[in-house]
Amino acid sequence: MLTKQEKQIFREELFRHLDGIAVAPVAYSLFKTKVTDYIILHKTITISEIAKEFQGNEGYLNVGLRMLSSQGWLDYNIKKNTPIVSVNQHTGIAFDHFHLYEGVVDLLEYSGKFHRRKFELEPFQKLEKLFKFYQNRLELPVPEDQLTHTIQNQILKHVEGILVGPTIVHLGMGGMFHKYFMEASFSADEYHRFPESFDTILSFLSYLGWFHKNKENYTFTNKGLFFAKRATAYGVTVSYIPMFRQIDDLLFGNPKVLWNPALHTNEIHVDREMNVWGSGGAHTTYFKKIDEIIISLFNKPLDEQPKGILDMGCGNGAFLIHLFEIIASKTLRGKHLDDYPLFLVGADYNKAALKVTRANLIQADIWAKVIWGDISDPDLLEKDLKENYKIELKDLLSVRTFLDHNRIWSEPIATLNAPSNSTGAFAFRGKLLHNDDVERNLKDHFKKWAPHISKFGLIVIELHTIPPAIAAKNIGNTAATAYDATHGFSDQYILEIDSFIKIIKEVGLESNPDYFSKFPNSDLATVSINYIKGK
């Protein structure tokens, strides 16, 4: 059994790994273009001045440099909607070590030529060299001071994250960790057609303390089981590696490289199957909290209950299935479904997701409507429901998970009651978005939804950012840097919780304090649950 202290140490490693997957490509791109030298030279400089000097894309440079601030390597401030970076005591030391990311960044780019989820021979050969390089501490000299030692270890964990992250996800998605666990011990040749190369990976994981190696056989350690059981925690960040391969273009080239419909009919910035697999692992924690709200609503007198539920952005249908099962088994409504049937609607913008949802609902023997819908256009959804199903959107309880930040950008119309205090970095196709405008856009968004959720409300799980100064003081305790990267470079808008709640109130809605939760329950909170209704 692991002690509480061991769990804390391993959890910190996991968060640092996620940091590395996101930070390494960005840091190395800024290093090789000499942006880092330019910042050192000027000491304090605006993002727009850097973009002008290097002909870069201001919005994505803002995202990238704010990430470095979240790692403690710059100071980041916003004055009159103008983001500014300044050097601190860590800057020079960290920037001098950015060349160490070259090998793993090259591996990320090279591995893009191969199958996304298979271990193939040529990437193995590159991995083997990097494993040896890492085990030699990247050939770093012994640091003369504690600050250098701390930053070196920070970068070493980043490199380790890229070396192990994709491997953990591939083994987790393929069920291999489960197979290994079922055996008393196992060898590389039992599970892979390139046993010698695969043995290299297993040997490296043994070096990290995940397996005991006895001749050719391996057995899990308690540390190895800790990480194997948390493989999904790596899934979302690793799923964005296709986007990180394009980081040079995003920062200094074509800012629309991910979004050219003439070249790409499908998403190329994210491995969506992996993303869904990774995010599904985290959702269970939040579902438990939402169960309380659902049970409360569907235990009210039957005539006071919603006619059903709309899950906007239904994904694979898992949330809708979960909600139905809770209502059926734990509420008053569940005892009267024949007389008061539950009208379930799964809506999604992605047609492939609709197909998966239909299949999963049929398998679960749950009767529901599955339709195309756009979170940015609830009026169209209302029209569709009314014309085709004779039901009004306002008569349904709306629910959604991690979707509002992924709305389609449009120029804001609303005015703010108070200016934005957000520290976030936001972009649309490379253009820098002012934080006031991001909040105005969110206000427009909720204004569209307000008439449809005033009666029975909206339950929303949302992702958030935290100020980089707070993230920098809590390295290893938050995945905020990785979240900011994956969402910032893909034009998604994660505000702080306070900013999100502020806009809810400005629209004339309110988040019921009895049902509000945040995770973790501290200043490091990057997820919130809100039950939003009209006042």
Side-chain angles (χ1 to χ4, degrees), residues 256-477:
K256 299 179 182 178
V257 65
L258 303 174
W259 312 104
N260 189 338
L263 297 176
H264 318 295
T265 53
N266 298 317
E267 293 177 305
I268 65 159
H269 68 292
V270 64
D271 181 332
R272 184 57 65 187
E273 184 185 351
M274 184 186 293
N275 186 274
V276 170
W277 174 81
S279 59
H283 287 181
T284 311
T285 304
Y286 313 129
F287 285 3
K288 289 176 184 175
K289 197 67 189 175
I290 284 176
D291 292 352
E292 296 174 22
I293 310 174
I294 293 293
I295 291 168
S296 172
L297 289 175
F298 287 93
N299 268 333
K300 287 184 174 182
L302 293 167
D303 292 334
E304 297 176 19
Q305 295 185 17
K307 290 183 180 178
I309 296 175
L310 166 77
D311 182 5
M312 182 72 238
C314 57
N316 62 4
F319 190 37
L320 203 56
I321 292 168
H322 173 80
L323 295 181
F324 176 81
E325 289 173 347
I326 290 296
I327 293 167
S329 63
K330 295 187 177 181
T331 70
L332 174 67
R333 182 66 163 273
K335 297 173 183 176
H336 297 274
L337 287 177
D338 287 339
D339 296 324
Y340 291 85
L342 201 61
F343 190 90
L344 299 176
V345 182
D348 207 291
Y349 194 84
N350 186 310
K351 291 182 179 177
L354 295 176
K355 189 176 179 182
V356 175
T357 295
R358 286 189 187 100
N360 288 340
L361 287 167
I362 290 168
Q363 188 175 4
D365 194 23
I366 292 173
W367 296 78
K369 303 293 185 184
V370 180
I371 62 175
W372 183 89
D374 179 358
I375 190 176
S376 302
D377 195 350
D379 290 345
L380 181 62
L381 196 60
E382 155 78 4
K383 185 182 176 197
D384 188 9
L385 288 171
K386 219 171 191 177
E387 288 180 358
N388 296 313
Y389 306 109
K390 306 297 184 278
I391 195 163
E392 294 191 37
L393 182 52
K394 69 179 181 182
D395 288 330
L396 303 175
L397 168 69
S398 287
V399 300
R400 45 188 184 250
T401 59
F402 302 108
L403 190 64
D404 290 84
H405 62 261
N406 196 18
R407 62 194 180 277
I408 297 170
W409 177 258
S410 58
E411 287 300 315
I413 299 167
T415 56
L416 296 178
N417 298 357
S420 171
N421 288 320
S422 174
T423 66
F426 308 106
F428 179 69
R429 307 301 189 257
K431 176 188 172 187
L432 185 144
L433 300 177
H434 291 151
N435 292 10
D436 276 352
D437 289 341
V438 172
E439 288 195 8
R440 289 171 61 211
N441 172 273
L442 183 63
K443 191 170 180 177
D444 288 339
H445 172 69
F446 275 112
K447 274 187 169 182
K448 293 177 191 173
W449 275 94
H452 305 295
I453 60 176
S454 58
K455 188 175 180 182
F456 290 112
L458 163 69
I459 299 173
V460 58
I461 310 176
E462 183 57 309
L463 187 68
H464 303 282
T465 188
I466 60 175
I470 292 177
K473 289 176 183 173
N474 289 278
I475 301 294
N477 292 317

Side-chain angles (χ1 to χ4, degrees), residues 86-126:
S86 304
V87 300
N88 59 33
Q89 62 177 333
H90 302 159
T91 307
I93 301 168
F95 286 8
D96 282 346
H97 286 80
F98 279 7
H99 67 280
L100 297 170
Y101 291 125
E102 181 179 7
V104 286
V105 171
D106 175 59
L107 175 68
L108 286 184
E109 292 175 0
Y110 184 76
S111 62
K113 302 172 188 175
F114 298 88
H115 192 283
R116 289 182 296 179
R117 288 192 216 98
K118 287 183 181 175
F119 294 104
E120 296 182 70
L121 187 58
E122 291 178 56
F124 265 143
Q125 293 167 344
K126 278 189 176 287

Side-chain angles (χ1 to χ4, degrees), residues 22 236-237 240 243-244 481-492:
V236 172
T237 307
Y240 278 95
M243 180 185 74
F244 291 126
T481 300
Y483 293 153
D484 288 334
T486 53
H487 291 72
F489 289 119
S490 59
D491 297 356
Q492 301 181 64

